[in-house]
Amino acid sequence: MEHGAPTIQMKFTEEQNALRETVAKFAEEEMAPILEEMDEKEEFPQKTVQRMKELGFFGVPIPEEYGGLGMGKVGYCIMLEELSKFDASHPAILGAHTSLGMTPLHYYGTEEQKQKFLVPAAKGEKLMGFSLTEPHSGSDSGSLKTEAKAEGDYWILNGNKIYVTNGKEADQIVVMAANDLKLGSNGGISAFLVEKGMKGFRLGRCEKKMGLHGTSTAELIFENCAVPKENIIGGVGRGFYVAMTALDVGRVSLGAGSCGGIWGALNVSLNYANNRMQFDAPIVQYQAIQFKLADMAMHLHALRTMVYQAAAFQDGLGYDPTKWPRSDRLKKSRDSAVIKCLGSEWASKAVNDALQIHGGIGYIRGTPIERAYRDARISEIFEGTNEVQRMIIAGDLIGRGGFVP
Ligand SMILES: Cc1cc2nc3c(=O)[nH]c(=O)nc-3n(C[C@H](O)[C@H](O)[C@H](O)COP(=O)(O)OP(=O)(O)OC[C@H]3O[C@@H](n4cnc5c(N)ncnc54)[C@H](O)[C@@H]3O)c2cc1C
C-alpha cells in the first residue's frame, strides 16, 4: 500500500472468515460457559487461556517467521471482536499480551530480542504484560519516577509500578523506566524487557475491581533489579515512543472489543425484548425500546467500519516505525484516539441501555448484562482516559490547522 492512501477494508478474505469462525466457536462453546464462575470467583481463567494458546490466539498479528499466525491487525481485531461478544476479561488478557506486550518487541526489537522474547510469546509459551502507570503518574505518563541507572552490563531499576494487567501471571513485562529523570518523555524514558524471576523484581498488591474479574491488576516492585543492557527495546531514551506506538495499536483493538460488546448488548436485548410481555405485548413493540436497539445498531455499524479501516491502515504501514511518514504517524494516532474514545462511550451506552431494557433482572448479580455493565466501564479509562484521547484529537486539529482525513 502507498503511504497516505485511504484504506477501505470491509470485505474479509476466506482466511479471515475462517479465523472468525474458529474464535466464535471457541467463545460460544468453551469460554461462555465458564464466565459466570470466573466472575464470581475473581480468578484468572487458566484453562481457557491454555486453550487460546493452543488455538494460536496468542500470536494472531505476529508474522509466521516469529511464531505467530501472520494475520495482522485486521485478524487481531476479528479475534477481539468475537471474544468480546461474550466477555471482556479474555480480550483484556490478550490485549495486554499482544498489542501492549508484543508490539514493542515486534516493531522496535532487535533480531536477537525477537528470537528470544517475541517468538515464545507469539507461540503462547510466555505471557506478556506492559507497565507504564505509577502511583503519581497516570495520564501524565511522561512524569514517571521508576529509575534506571546504568551499571556495567546492566541497568538497575528501582521504583513501583501499578495496575499492570497480567502482572501476576506474566512471564515477560515491558517496563517503562526513567534513564534520565530530567528529560522526561523526550529522551528520558526507556523500555526494558523484564522477566519473571529476575532478582529484585517482585509482585506487590493485586487489586480487587468492579469488573474484568478474570484479569489480574497488579503492583510491581523493583528493588535494585539488574536488567541486562541487551533487554532495552528501541534504544536508550526511546521508551516513550515505544509505549505510545503500542498504545496506538491497543486503542484500535479496544475499538474492536467495543464492537463485540455492543453486539452482545444488542443481541441479548433483542432476544429479551421479543420475549418479555408487558401490557399484553412484547416490549420490543414499544418505540422507547426500539430506539435503544436502533442506537446500538447505528453505533455498531459505524464503529466496525472505523475499526477495520484503521486496522488495515496500520497493517499497510508495515512494522518499521522509522519508515512511517510523519503524516501517517499523525493519522494513526488520531484515528486510534477517535476509535478508542467513541467505541468505549458507545459500548458503555449500549450496556446501560441493555440493562434498562432488561428492567429489574438486569440489575441482578450473575446475569450476563450485569457483568457486561461492570466490565464495560474500564474502557473509558485504561490505555489513556477518554479525556486524554480528546487531548490527542484536539492536539492533532490544532497542530495540523484543521481536520486532515
Ligand atoms: C483495570 C485496569 C487495568 C490497567 N492496566 C494497565 C496496564 O496493563 N499497564 C499500565 O501501564 N497501566 C494500566 N492501567 C492504568 C490506566 O491506564 C490508568 O489508570 C489511566 O491511564 C489513568 O491514569 P490514573 O488512574 O492515574 O488517572 P489520572 O491521570 O490521575 O486522571 C484522573 C482524572 O483526571 C483526568 N485528567 C488528567 N489529566 C487531565 C488533563 N490534562 N485534562 C483533562 N483531564 C485530565 C483523567 O482523564 C481522569 O478523569 C490499568 C488500570 C486499570 C484500572
Side-chain angles (χ1 to χ4, degrees), residues 324-344:
W324 298 342
R326 184 177 146 75
S327 58
D328 283 357
R329 272 190 280 123
L330 293 174
K331 174 177 165 52
K332 179 176 67 67
S333 296
R334 190 268 318 275
D335 289 358
S336 305
V338 168
I339 287 167
K340 192 273 185 187
C341 192
L342 273 180
S344 58

Side-chain angles (χ1 to χ4, degrees), residues 160-363:
N160 280 33
K161 310 295 281 188
I162 55 167
Y163 299 161
V164 182
T165 304
N166 295 343
K168 188 174 169 199
E169 302 83 11
D171 305 289
Q172 310 180 141
I173 304 181
V174 178
V175 177
M176 262 52 69
N179 53 282
D180 187 333
L181 283 168
K182 293 187 296 298
L183 292 179
S185 60
N186 194 14
I189 295 174
S190 301
F192 298 86
L193 193 294
V194 173
E195 291 178 271
K196 193 182 212 165
M198 277 182 170
K199 205 160 164 262
F201 164 47
R202 67 184 167 89
L203 184 68
R205 171 193 161 96
C206 285
E207 305 294 345
K208 280 205 141 296
K209 306 187 293 293
M210 172 180 173
L212 282 193
H213 284 177
T215 69
S216 64
T217 304
E219 178 188 23
L220 306 180
I221 299 168
F222 295 91
E223 290 160 327
N224 292 321
C225 174
V227 180
K229 280 199 161 158
E230 60 268 20
N231 282 25
I232 281 206
I233 304 166
V236 178
R238 300 284 302 161
F240 194 73
Y241 309 105
V242 172
M244 293 306 125
T245 306
L247 284 166
D248 278 349
V249 175
R251 287 166 187 165
V252 173
S253 67
L254 270 183
S258 294
C259 289
I262 298 171
W263 185 95
L266 178 56
N267 201 40
V268 291
S269 298
L270 196 55
N271 186 37
Y272 187 78
N274 270 317
N275 290 298
R276 176 66 176 169
M277 302 288 292
Q278 286 297 287
F279 302 99
D280 297 325
I283 60 170
V284 78
Q285 289 187 10
Y286 303 125
Q287 207 174 48
I289 303 288
Q290 291 173 4
F291 281 11
K292 289 184 177 59
L293 297 171
D295 280 356
M296 293 181 209
M298 283 195 294
H299 291 158
L300 179 53
H301 181 65
L303 187 60
R304 288 191 89 227
T305 310
M306 289 194 284
V307 163
Y308 287 106
Q309 266 206 46
F313 180 79
Q314 289 196 355
D315 282 336
L317 282 177
Y319 306 129
D320 182 354
T322 60
K323 296 204 172 117
W324 298 342
R326 184 177 146 75
S327 58
D328 283 357
R329 272 190 280 123
L330 293 174
K331 174 177 165 52
K332 179 176 67 67
S333 296
R334 190 268 318 275
D335 289 358
S336 305
V338 168
I339 287 167
K340 192 273 185 187
C341 192
L342 273 180
S344 58
E345 288 173 11
W346 286 346
S348 288
K349 174 172 159 44
V351 287
N352 189 42
D353 285 351
L355 198 151
Q356 194 68 17
I357 289 171
H358 281 72
I361 200 166
Y363 196 71

Side-chain angles (χ1 to χ4, degrees), residues 148-158 224-229:
K149 285 198 169 152
E151 214 177 280
D153 292 336
Y154 294 89
W155 285 88
I156 310 299
L157 266 59
N158 279 291
N224 292 321
C225 174
V227 180
K229 280 199 161 158

